[in-house]
Amino acid sequence: MRGPLLLLAAIAVVSFAGPPLGAALGIDLNAVDLVDRLAGPSLMHPLGTDELGRDVLMRLLAGGRVSLTIGIAAALAAAAFGTLAGLVAGYLGGWTDRVMMRLTDGIIALPLLPLLIVLAALDLRKLGVPAVLAQSDDINLIRIVVLAVLVSWTTAARLVRGATLVTRNRDFVRAATSLGAGIPHILWTHILPNVLAPLIVATTLSVGDVILLESVLSFLGLGIQPPLASWGTMLSNAQELITSAPFLALYPGAMIFLTVIAANLFGDALQQRFDRRAAAHD
Amino acid sequence: MIRFTAIRLVEIAAVVVLMSFVIYALIGLMPGDPIDLMRQADPRMSAADVARLKAVYGVDQPLFARYLAWAGQALSGDLGYSRLFAAPVWSALLPRLANSLLLMGSSFVLALALALGLGTAAARRPHSRFDAAINLFSFAGVSMPTFWLALMLILIFAAGLGWLPASGIATAGMSNLGDRLAHLVLPVATLTLASVGGYTRYVRAAMKEALAQDHIRTARAKGASEARIILHHALRSAMIPVTTILALSFGGLVSGALVTETMFAYPGMGKLIFDAVMGNDYNLALAALLLATVTTLLANLAADLAYGWLDPRVTYR
Amino acid sequence: MRLINVFRYTGTWRGWWRRWLPALTVAGLLSAPAMGEERESLTIGITQFPSTLNPNIDAMAAKSYVLGMALRPFTVYDADWRLVCLLCVTLPSIENGLAVPVDLADGKKGIDITYTIRPEATWGDGVPVTTADVLFTYEVGRHPESAIGNAELYRRITGIDVKDDKTFTLHVDKLTFDYAAINDFVLLPAHIERAAFKEPAQYRVRTRYNADPTNPGLYNGPYRVSEVVAGSHILFEPNPHWAGPPGHFKRITVRAIENTAALEANLLSGTIDMVAGELGLSLDEALAFEKRHGEGFQMIFKPGLVFEHIDLNLERPALADRRVRQALIMGLDREAISTSLFAGRQKVADSFVNPLDAGYSAGTPRYHYDPARAAALLDEAGWRAQGGGLRRNAQGDTLLLELMTTAGNRTRELVEQVLQSQWRKIGVDIRIKNEPARVLFGETVPHRQFDMAMYAWISAPEDVPRSTLYSSEIPDASNGFAGQNASGFKSPEMDRLIDALEIELDPMKRKTLWAAVQKLYATELPSLPLYFRSDTFILPKWLKGVGPTGNQYPSTLWITDWTAQP
């Protein structure tokens, strides 16, 4: 468990610290150099240059920042939203539960593509989003995070609902109710800690899924727009150059692979840890 | 249980109706329509042409009116014509559906078989090196973008070694089984490798839990053979997560795999849905998407019913 | 479980081999090309599958490529960009008397043009091509509900006189210099399609080109369609009733593979023999391919008529000033882009007229890379550089422009980033905002919600720029946002030149008019010219005779010239 966690932390630290460091050293991420394209590794460019002469290492780190931000933000937001929905549905039961379950079924079947195109085309200013935000470079990031959350909140909701159903019948919850505790208090203090374990595992696993989703969106042309780099766009762009400059595909591909597999292994190790603890308690 | 099923079927119908409107609205909310795209490609089209074509294809009507017209037709069994294929929706849909069922079905069966084998083997040797290796292998497959996996396979086996064809469903003019099988190998391999990891983990976890149960110990003490223990006792408990997997993947049988189909130029449902949506072909997109929705919902219902049969402790409210 | 048992069961090395031999043999046999018949069949890879095969509905590059082998149009522009007769015997002209200008009732000039169908032209089922087909096609083209895409041609023809089975005269209501070009008048077989046209509104659905595409009677060219697998491939075989010189190949397969990386892999693995230039790799992809695998193939680069440019929205305050527009183009090192990204194969354009075009004028003002002059122009226009490199005007606004193009198009994205970096150097801040094609062309460009939009105009030889530069073609509510003059260029002089150009029959006088048009365009710069896209044809070494045209008429129209050298 320590292994994957350390790897993840290392990737995160380097990705977030790298670009500011590079900027301080004077390496411009976006400096196009048409003369020095597709160069191999050198002292100036440790990983070589890409098809526009930009430093691959810096773009890789900046791309990591974007991909990791999207992954973590989407995973946390989906977990929060899903937990709320799952707690409410699981605890209240009855019609609330039925509606919630059918709603999640519907969302699972919802087509991603028209949703994303509509999101890409909406004029956010008409929706009341302040102009500064709507025109900033980060709006693309936010769009993708919103889409990822819409797609993955249902897993967390289902998990939490299931665990809530089991927990709410337990004695200590009944005791709390009979003592007059309000619903929010019960949800927060009694039920939530008991559903946390599978939730944490699912959230960790979904980080990897979101990073992969981002790369598929770039493949379809609906992802992060230039000049912002992400591992997904770097990988997609490197497809055509696969025979002439394979290293351009190797680095982002390897980073995606390492990050996702580290997240997955970490989540798996967490799950085993929780299972052992649960087994010990029962 | 009958009551349960009946209520669920009604709920499914309600969801389908709601989804049909949501999908129609989403496609309609997408800016631009195919006449505009046509105009971009053909500079000779005049404003009068554009207006005329919009009237011919009916895209100048308001969205809700078009939806009601479609719904009315659909309820009477007529799913309309596909603008992209210029053919009735069913005749455009069926061959692609068959292709997808073949592709997705084969890879699903193969992945499940592998997962059952690997997962059980890993569960029987917990915390061993074999277990760790299986774990790593299962995560490797799901940690790579599918288009990447597909491209690697094409480059190695088709371009590099030349063993297999790189795309399509058949060589033109040939209709024998061997040719079609050869064309299926790489796409099926891609999909299998991408999904076997997830299935293996499910099976392994369930088998581990099942093998630790008391009745397994009793059976062993009674002298039952290893094979009987696995196949008869433990597998029954493992069927619950397998049923979950089945239910989750069933929708995929119909909705296809867009990325794999694009990379291998395999004409399946995934590409059909993508093209229909991007091309504003309402009739085709709705028919395909609703088919996928209904399949997913029915599969979920079947899974819920199966849980009841597999585990008598589960009750229905 | 079963897999592990299999291996345990076979045990020995020999056993393993026996188990796998059949599978390996099958795989080997299937992939090895059959030696004797390789050169009689050809597999072509393209990046799009034609949605319908009816020649007159839904114009698509993939469809005209594929139909080039199977249907003969009357007239086309050949590889030298000259108008030639394919289905007709002689190209009508005023000089040879087959075209006669007439005075119309409202004082305008029209023209009567006489064509004779080739006597040997026959449909694939043996029925000869006659004027009955001409009349039927005309009827379909004129009908408002038949979903014909480009009805302009049929609108212009006010009537047809039939002299006999093969000769007919068109009465056209406008005398334009390209009067003999009826390229879009592709004949439909009356004897088959009439039944489908019984209910005109249903024609696009009932047309036999979709319902029964392998019917030989639908095709009158050297090949006919013998198999269609929607979304995957189309198979062509020789048309038995074709009376002209036969094509070399007995089987031609056209395969659609949308992903270009997969297309390249297919080429390398031999699944396809060639990649069509009209619908293949983009130039930078082709150059990368050439570097690695060029020796195994013939690579032909043909400059074409697709004009990559940046539309400038003249209503934006910054862009309304001509000095700013000129500064923008002078701040670009287009030569460097052409040399480094495109290995010099996509030459810098000065205007939308291609240097190979008859109307090209070498005297068009040419802008060279001159950042100093660009900076001076910007200062003059009131945009002064502050500390930090950005420019502000007197009101304190920064010079910030949004550059848009089609998302997912890697070449354009690359070029955009180069442009952004170059413009930053002269103090113009650029924000890149890409949208999917359907959003860009469906909403943003027609509604003119952009600052700068980079995309391509597709044109034909000597194509008069009415829809793109005429003042009445600015997309707005009055024309249903259907005009293509997205920059909003309003110039009475340009309007006058366009009107004069269309009806000028004297080639020398036309050249003068064309020169004036280009000079006006280059001076006013409603859009920034970038380059003309080149098509790359990647052919196997043994394929000879392929003649790329560089215009929208595909090389497959001359498929009978293609041969395989052993």
Side-chain angles (χ1 to χ4, degrees), chain B residues 43 117 167 170 172 278 280, chain C residues 1 148 251 255 258 266 438 458:
Chain B
S167 68
M278 296 300 253
N280 269 62
Chain C
M1 181 101 65
I148 299 297
R251 298 155 57 84
R255 264 190 190 280
E258 282 193 23
N266 273 266
R438 55 174 305 133
I458 306 168

Side-chain angles (χ1 to χ4, degrees), chain B residues 137-155:
Chain B
F137 163 73
S138 30
F139 280 119
V142 301
S143 301
M144 236 186 302
T146 324
F147 69 87
W148 199 238
L149 189 55
L151 192 58
M152 289 295 108
L153 287 177
I154 294 179
L155 284 174

Side-chain angles (χ1 to χ4, degrees), chain B:
Chain B
M1 195 172 87
I2 303 286
R3 207 176 98 89
F4 173 79
T5 315
I7 296 182
R8 276 291 286 273
L9 284 173
V10 168
E11 286 176 354
I12 288 178
V15 170
V16 168
V17 169
L18 183 64
M19 287 302 295
S20 72
F21 180 67
V22 169
I23 295 173
Y24 207 95
L26 275 179
I27 299 180
L29 279 176
M30 289 196 292
D33 57 50
I35 316 290
D36 294 319
L37 285 175
M38 247 191 257
R39 183 170 36 93
Q40 202 56 37
D42 186 357
R44 291 179 196 283
M45 264 174 87
S46 65
D49 282 326
V50 171
R52 177 180 49 93
L53 283 175
K54 288 200 185 192
V56 166
Y57 286 106
V59 294
D60 53 352
Q61 306 285 322
L63 189 73
F64 201 64
R66 278 185 282 153
Y67 172 70
L68 287 177
W70 175 84
Q73 259 193 317
L75 281 175
S76 65
D78 176 14
L79 286 170
Y81 285 110
S82 154
R83 210 202 76 252
L84 279 183
F85 285 79
V89 163
W90 276 116
S91 70
L93 204 62
L94 281 177
R96 307 283 278 240
L97 186 61
N99 288 341
S100 264
L101 285 175
L102 183 60
L103 175 66
M104 309 300 289
S106 321
S107 56
F108 178 67
V109 165
L110 190 58
L112 197 57
L114 277 173
L116 281 171
L118 294 172
T120 314
R124 289 177 59 211
R125 301 177 188 75
H127 309 298
S128 68
R129 267 198 303 222
F130 181 72
D131 189 16
I134 296 286
N135 215 16
L136 197 62
F137 163 73
S138 30
F139 280 119
V142 301
S143 301
M144 236 186 302
T146 324
F147 69 87
W148 199 238
L149 189 55
L151 192 58
M152 289 295 108
L153 287 177
I154 294 179
L155 284 174
I156 296 175
F157 290 100
L161 293 168
W163 287 352
L164 293 162
S167 68
I169 54 170
T171 315
M174 289 171 85
S175 54
N176 61 59
L177 188 62
D179 181 58
R180 292 225 34 177
L181 278 177
H183 280 86
L184 262 183
V185 172
L186 284 182
V188 168
T190 309
L191 286 172
T192 308
L193 282 172
S195 52
V196 73
Y199 297 171
T200 307
R201 280 181 50 240
Y202 262 116
V203 171
R204 174 173 153 276
M207 278 306 244
K208 244 172 61 167
E209 201 183 303
L211 284 175
Q213 298 287 335
D214 290 339
H215 65 276
I216 300 289
R217 257 192 312 176
T218 318
R220 279 218 183 95
K222 276 180 17 186
S225 73
E226 201 62 24
R228 184 172 161 79
I229 289 179
I230 304 263
L231 288 175
H232 184 74
H233 295 284
L235 206 60
R236 184 101 187 234
S237 319
M239 284 321 267
I240 293 191
V242 169
T243 315
T244 316
I245 300 173
L246 260 166
L248 287 174
S249 313
F250 224 77
L253 278 180
V254 170
S255 59
L258 170 61
V259 174
T260 310
E261 289 171 26
T262 308
M263 293 302 292
F264 290 101
Y266 188 89
M269 289 293 284
K271 197 77 186 32
L272 181 83
I273 294 176
F274 184 74
D275 291 336
V277 166
M278 296 300 253
N280 269 62
D281 190 347
Y282 286 89
N283 291 337
L284 188 59
L286 271 169
L289 285 167
L290 287 179
L291 190 62
T293 310
V294 166
T295 317
T296 313
L297 293 174
L298 285 178
N300 278 345
L301 174 59
D304 283 346
L305 290 175
Y307 291 144
W309 176 68
L310 285 171
D311 188 348
R313 291 174 294 176
V314 173
T315 53
Y316 300 103
R317 242 179 303 122

